[in-house]
Amino acid sequence: MGTIDWNNLSFGYLKTDYNVRYYFKNGEWSPLEVSDSEHINLHMASTCLHYGQEAFEGLKAFRGKDGKIRIFRMRENALRLISSCRGILMQELSVELFEEAVLKVVKLNERFVPPYESGCSLYIRPLLIGTGAQVGVKPSLEYTFIIFVTPVGPYFKDGFKPTPIVIMRSYDRAAPHGTGTYKIGGNYAASLVAGEKAKELGYSAVLYLDAKEKKYIDECGPANFFGIKNNTYITPLSSSILPSITNKSLMQLAEDMGLKIERRQVAVEELETFEEAGECGTAAVITPISRIDDIEENKSYSFSENGVAGPVCTKLYNQLRAIQYGDQADKYGWVTVLE
Ligand SMILES: Cc1ncc(COP(=O)(O)O)c(C=O)c1O
């Protein structure tokens, strides 16, 4: 590799040494396979290609000041993948097999975990696809699970700096009884048009409203939403959003900081009352929101327009990162230190 510029990494793909794979065939999962190929050999009638049998995950490994590598909440990602499997009838992979694969792929690519000082991390991308040939709409009998890793910097190019986002009422990401709570490719395909439009207009993300009434906030394209007011952390409760592991962690940290936590429907108009707002996710970490434009309604809500993140967002961000990098005690057992 030689020349990775650790201080200028973006959120993109860089080739690493190895990926790991399991194959499900004849009713059982294979032993873990280590591969140095970036390619897969796929039957053209695979269900992942035709009927969207694809789920993925995203988690990170961090190198601490002590040089040790810490993986954040991988059990939660294993459980969410199981939930995604149930959502689109794919073969489940046990928590144990998932964790074994994560540990192996990080170990094999240890040299790609960015140094502590860079503030970057190793992004871990598990994916599960239906690989059996079917022509009728039916779940596959065969599956492939892969994990690759890639060193990454901030998801939004400005990192921890307030960014504007947009409500686009003419697009939906997921329906109330649809697949929004699963981390499956189809949801992201459904968000591409609005996402690209938002970028063309100068916004970093779309803030989706509930698809049925267009009254309540759902989430951002790649991250959950939260707002802060009156010493309270408020985040939407909805049947069409992804249960974010970062959001779950932030609710715990906010409670520890003495904030009240409210997980409930959040009406769009309530944005007017928030002192701070942010997006949260593995990739976004916390990205403070400067402004939300509801373009069709000609309305705008401002938070950190002076370009500086609010105090609660800042404190939460620092606490989360301190646990992830091992600068602060991991009192909830969120971190797995790589042997
Ligand atoms: C749609 C969506 N919401 C929320 C999140 C944040 O989830 P997590 O904190 O588990 O990364 C993600 C990213 O994983 C996402 O794609």
Side-chain angles (χ1 to χ4, degrees), residues 80 173 183 188 219 221-224 242 244-246 280-282:
R80 191 167 63 189
R173 174 183 177 273
K183 201 162 170 66
Y188 297 83
E219 64 174 332
N224 274 183
L242 192 75
S244 156
I245 296 159
T246 312
C280 64
T282 296

PDB file of all heavy atoms in Angstrom, residues 80 173 183 188 219 221-224 242 244-246 280-282, ligand 1:
ATOM      1  N   ARG A  80     -28.991  -6.691  14.377  1.00  0.00           N
ATOM      2  CA  ARG A  80     -29.765  -5.950  13.378  1.00  0.00           C
ATOM      3  C   ARG A  80     -29.766  -6.692  12.035  1.00  0.00           C
ATOM      4  O   ARG A  80     -30.764  -6.675  11.312  1.00  0.00           O
ATOM      5  CB  ARG A  80     -29.228  -4.524  13.222  1.00  0.00           C
ATOM      6  CG  ARG A  80     -30.157  -3.648  12.405  1.00  0.00           C
ATOM      7  CD  ARG A  80     -29.795  -2.180  12.503  1.00  0.00           C
ATOM      8  NE  ARG A  80     -28.482  -1.907  11.951  1.00  0.00           N
ATOM      9  CZ  ARG A  80     -27.853  -0.742  12.057  1.00  0.00           C
ATOM     10  NH1 ARG A  80     -28.434   0.272  12.692  1.00  0.00           N
ATOM     11  NH2 ARG A  80     -26.659  -0.559  11.530  1.00  0.00           N
ATOM     12  N   ARG A 173     -38.928   7.621   1.493  1.00  0.00           N
ATOM     13  CA  ARG A 173     -37.885   6.604   1.551  1.00  0.00           C
ATOM     14  C   ARG A 173     -38.478   5.239   1.868  1.00  0.00           C
ATOM     15  O   ARG A 173     -38.109   4.227   1.286  1.00  0.00           O
ATOM     16  CB  ARG A 173     -36.870   7.002   2.628  1.00  0.00           C
ATOM     17  CG  ARG A 173     -35.812   5.979   2.897  1.00  0.00           C
ATOM     18  CD  ARG A 173     -34.884   6.423   4.023  1.00  0.00           C
ATOM     19  NE  ARG A 173     -33.928   5.369   4.289  1.00  0.00           N
ATOM     20  CZ  ARG A 173     -34.155   4.364   5.122  1.00  0.00           C
ATOM     21  NH1 ARG A 173     -35.284   4.279   5.775  1.00  0.00           N
ATOM     22  NH2 ARG A 173     -33.235   3.438   5.297  1.00  0.00           N
ATOM     23  N   LYS A 183     -31.942  -2.865   7.259  1.00  0.00           N
ATOM     24  CA  LYS A 183     -30.830  -2.252   6.529  1.00  0.00           C
ATOM     25  C   LYS A 183     -30.634  -3.031   5.233  1.00  0.00           C
ATOM     26  O   LYS A 183     -29.748  -3.878   5.123  1.00  0.00           O
ATOM     27  CB  LYS A 183     -29.562  -2.249   7.399  1.00  0.00           C
ATOM     28  CG  LYS A 183     -28.544  -1.210   6.937  1.00  0.00           C
ATOM     29  CD  LYS A 183     -27.542  -0.902   8.016  1.00  0.00           C
ATOM     30  CE  LYS A 183     -26.390  -0.067   7.515  1.00  0.00           C
ATOM     31  NZ  LYS A 183     -26.742   1.290   7.102  1.00  0.00           N
ATOM     32  N   TYR A 188     -32.148   2.057   0.123  1.00  0.00           N
ATOM     33  CA  TYR A 188     -31.147   3.042  -0.302  1.00  0.00           C
ATOM     34  C   TYR A 188     -31.343   3.373  -1.775  1.00  0.00           C
ATOM     35  O   TYR A 188     -31.164   4.516  -2.187  1.00  0.00           O
ATOM     36  CB  TYR A 188     -29.735   2.530   0.036  1.00  0.00           C
ATOM     37  CG  TYR A 188     -29.624   2.394   1.548  1.00  0.00           C
ATOM     38  CD1 TYR A 188     -30.090   1.260   2.207  1.00  0.00           C
ATOM     39  CD2 TYR A 188     -29.160   3.446   2.324  1.00  0.00           C
ATOM     40  CE1 TYR A 188     -30.077   1.159   3.588  1.00  0.00           C
ATOM     41  CE2 TYR A 188     -29.137   3.362   3.703  1.00  0.00           C
ATOM     42  CZ  TYR A 188     -29.600   2.213   4.334  1.00  0.00           C
ATOM     43  OH  TYR A 188     -29.597   2.142   5.700  1.00  0.00           O
ATOM     44  N   GLU A 219     -36.316  10.230   9.416  1.00  0.00           N
ATOM     45  CA  GLU A 219     -34.863  10.247   9.605  1.00  0.00           C
ATOM     46  C   GLU A 219     -34.201  10.853   8.387  1.00  0.00           C
ATOM     47  O   GLU A 219     -34.858  11.188   7.410  1.00  0.00           O
ATOM     48  CB  GLU A 219     -34.324   8.842   9.873  1.00  0.00           C
ATOM     49  CG  GLU A 219     -34.493   7.865   8.717  1.00  0.00           C
ATOM     50  CD  GLU A 219     -33.816   6.525   8.988  1.00  0.00           C
ATOM     51  OE1 GLU A 219     -32.823   6.477   9.743  1.00  0.00           O
ATOM     52  OE2 GLU A 219     -34.272   5.525   8.418  1.00  0.00           O
ATOM     53  N   GLY A 221     -31.335  10.587   5.179  1.00  0.00           N
ATOM     54  CA  GLY A 221     -30.992   9.531   4.224  1.00  0.00           C
ATOM     55  C   GLY A 221     -30.096   8.470   4.865  1.00  0.00           C
ATOM     56  O   GLY A 221     -30.444   7.293   4.888  1.00  0.00           O
ATOM     57  N   PRO A 222     -28.944   8.862   5.404  1.00  0.00           N
ATOM     58  CA  PRO A 222     -28.018   7.851   5.952  1.00  0.00           C
ATOM     59  C   PRO A 222     -27.886   7.877   7.472  1.00  0.00           C
ATOM     60  O   PRO A 222     -26.938   7.307   8.005  1.00  0.00           O
ATOM     61  CB  PRO A 222     -26.690   8.282   5.323  1.00  0.00           C
ATOM     62  CG  PRO A 222     -26.797   9.787   5.245  1.00  0.00           C
ATOM     63  CD  PRO A 222     -28.261  10.149   5.200  1.00  0.00           C
ATOM     64  N   ALA A 223     -28.791   8.512   8.205  1.00  0.00           N
ATOM     65  CA  ALA A 223     -28.582   8.691   9.646  1.00  0.00           C
ATOM     66  C   ALA A 223     -29.899   9.011  10.349  1.00  0.00           C
ATOM     67  O   ALA A 223     -30.833   9.513   9.719  1.00  0.00           O
ATOM     68  CB  ALA A 223     -27.599   9.849   9.875  1.00  0.00           C
ATOM     69  N   ASN A 224     -29.971   8.740  11.626  1.00  0.00           N
ATOM     70  CA  ASN A 224     -31.138   9.131  12.442  1.00  0.00           C
ATOM     71  C   ASN A 224     -31.084  10.625  12.746  1.00  0.00           C
ATOM     72  O   ASN A 224     -30.044  11.272  12.604  1.00  0.00           O
ATOM     73  CB  ASN A 224     -31.169   8.363  13.763  1.00  0.00           C
ATOM     74  CG  ASN A 224     -31.856   6.997  13.677  1.00  0.00           C
ATOM     75  OD1 ASN A 224     -32.006   6.303  14.683  1.00  0.00           O
ATOM     76  ND2 ASN A 224     -32.281   6.589  12.495  1.00  0.00           N
ATOM     77  N   LEU A 242     -34.557   3.243  10.497  1.00  0.00           N
ATOM     78  CA  LEU A 242     -33.590   2.237  10.937  1.00  0.00           C
ATOM     79  C   LEU A 242     -33.254   2.459  12.413  1.00  0.00           C
ATOM     80  O   LEU A 242     -32.983   3.587  12.822  1.00  0.00           O
ATOM     81  CB  LEU A 242     -32.307   2.365  10.106  1.00  0.00           C
ATOM     82  CG  LEU A 242     -31.348   1.188  10.265  1.00  0.00           C
ATOM     83  CD1 LEU A 242     -31.869  -0.032   9.508  1.00  0.00           C
ATOM     84  CD2 LEU A 242     -29.951   1.534   9.791  1.00  0.00           C
ATOM     85  N   SER A 244     -30.962   3.006  14.812  1.00  0.00           N
ATOM     86  CA  SER A 244     -29.541   3.353  14.775  1.00  0.00           C
ATOM     87  C   SER A 244     -28.839   2.978  16.075  1.00  0.00           C
ATOM     88  O   SER A 244     -29.305   3.313  17.170  1.00  0.00           O
ATOM     89  CB  SER A 244     -29.400   4.861  14.534  1.00  0.00           C
ATOM     90  OG  SER A 244     -28.161   5.347  15.025  1.00  0.00           O
ATOM     91  N   ILE A 245     -27.708   2.327  15.945  1.00  0.00           N
ATOM     92  CA  ILE A 245     -26.912   1.917  17.113  1.00  0.00           C
ATOM     93  C   ILE A 245     -26.226   3.147  17.726  1.00  0.00           C
ATOM     94  O   ILE A 245     -26.057   3.246  18.934  1.00  0.00           O
ATOM     95  CB  ILE A 245     -25.919   0.821  16.693  1.00  0.00           C
ATOM     96  CG1 ILE A 245     -26.709  -0.426  16.255  1.00  0.00           C
ATOM     97  CG2 ILE A 245     -24.943   0.473  17.821  1.00  0.00           C
ATOM     98  CD1 ILE A 245     -25.962  -1.378  15.368  1.00  0.00           C
ATOM     99  N   THR A 246     -25.874   4.099  16.878  1.00  0.00           N
ATOM    100  CA  THR A 246     -25.298   5.351  17.386  1.00  0.00           C
ATOM    101  C   THR A 246     -26.329   6.107  18.219  1.00  0.00           C
ATOM    102  O   THR A 246     -26.027   6.591  19.312  1.00  0.00           O
ATOM    103  CB  THR A 246     -24.835   6.240  16.209  1.00  0.00           C
ATOM    104  OG1 THR A 246     -24.080   5.437  15.313  1.00  0.00           O
ATOM    105  CG2 THR A 246     -24.009   7.423  16.683  1.00  0.00           C
ATOM    106  N   CYS A 280     -27.232  11.399  13.348  1.00  0.00           N
ATOM    107  CA  CYS A 280     -26.293  10.484  13.990  1.00  0.00           C
ATOM    108  C   CYS A 280     -26.288   9.124  13.308  1.00  0.00           C
ATOM    109  O   CYS A 280     -27.318   8.631  12.856  1.00  0.00           O
ATOM    110  CB  CYS A 280     -26.598  10.356  15.476  1.00  0.00           C
ATOM    111  SG  CYS A 280     -28.201   9.632  15.821  1.00  0.00           S
ATOM    112  N   GLY A 281     -25.100   8.535  13.227  1.00  0.00           N
ATOM    113  CA  GLY A 281     -24.944   7.223  12.619  1.00  0.00           C
ATOM    114  C   GLY A 281     -23.480   6.819  12.657  1.00  0.00           C
ATOM    115  O   GLY A 281     -22.624   7.639  12.981  1.00  0.00           O
ATOM    116  N   THR A 282     -23.210   5.575  12.315  1.00  0.00           N
ATOM    117  CA  THR A 282     -21.830   5.092  12.311  1.00  0.00           C
ATOM    118  C   THR A 282     -20.960   5.967  11.412  1.00  0.00           C
ATOM    119  O   THR A 282     -19.856   6.359  11.784  1.00  0.00           O
ATOM    120  CB  THR A 282     -21.799   3.634  11.824  1.00  0.00           C
ATOM    121  OG1 THR A 282     -22.524   2.856  12.771  1.00  0.00           O
ATOM    122  CG2 THR A 282     -20.382   3.116  11.705  1.00  0.00           C
TER     123      THR A 282
HETATM  124  C1  LIG B   1     -31.014   5.011   7.023  1.00  0.00           C
HETATM  125  C2  LIG B   1     -30.057   4.981   8.156  1.00  0.00           C
HETATM  126  N1  LIG B   1     -30.458   5.440   9.341  1.00  0.00           N
HETATM  127  C3  LIG B   1     -29.638   5.456  10.404  1.00  0.00           C
HETATM  128  C4  LIG B   1     -28.343   4.979  10.314  1.00  0.00           C
HETATM  129  C5  LIG B   1     -27.466   4.998  11.526  1.00  0.00           C
HETATM  130  O1  LIG B   1     -27.382   3.723  12.092  1.00  0.00           O
HETATM  131  P1  LIG B   1     -26.111   3.311  12.937  1.00  0.00           P
HETATM  132  O2  LIG B   1     -25.981   4.304  14.030  1.00  0.00           O
HETATM  133  O3  LIG B   1     -26.425   1.959  13.457  1.00  0.00           O
HETATM  134  O4  LIG B   1     -24.956   3.340  12.024  1.00  0.00           O
HETATM  135  C6  LIG B   1     -27.877   4.491   9.099  1.00  0.00           C
HETATM  136  C7  LIG B   1     -26.503   3.994   8.954  1.00  0.00           C
HETATM  137  O5  LIG B   1     -26.179   2.933   9.368  1.00  0.00           O
HETATM  138  C8  LIG B   1     -28.755   4.478   8.005  1.00  0.00           C
HETATM  139  O6  LIG B   1     -28.347   3.998   6.817  1.00  0.00           O
END
